[in-house]
Amino acid sequence: MPSHLHHDDDVQDCTELLRSALRDNGITLPSLGIDLPGFAGSYAVPLVALGNCNTATARKLAEALRKAAAAR
């Protein structure tokens, strides 16, 4: 299998895993998705685009990350 096919599936899986984990914490990043320019060229590394969010969402995300870090 060409390596770019593995990366395509991996970036899609990672994006959905992140979307699900955020949803489990009551967080939605509306512009979360796959960075399409990351697919350009033969040596490109597909990226997950986290996008923008409002301050309320950023605070919820920070709180969820702090709770997860404290639980370690």
Side-chain angles (χ1 to χ4, degrees):
M1 169 181 349
S3 62
H4 72 280
L5 292 179
H6 172 71
H7 291 300
D8 294 357
D9 291 342
D10 189 44
V11 73
Q12 290 172 0
D13 290 346
C14 287
T15 301
E16 290 310 311
L17 285 170
L18 181 56
R19 186 183 321 279
S20 177
L22 289 167
R23 184 176 41 245
D24 290 347
N25 283 279
I27 300 168
T28 300
L29 295 179
S31 47
L32 175 67
I34 298 169
D35 182 53
L36 296 180
F39 286 101
S42 60
Y43 297 105
V45 176
L47 301 173
V48 175
L50 298 178
N52 300 316
C53 65
N54 60 36
T55 56
T57 301
R59 289 181 192 281
K60 286 176 80 172
L61 181 55
E63 181 183 340
L65 291 170
R66 282 193 195 103
K67 284 180 183 178
R72 292 178 135 192

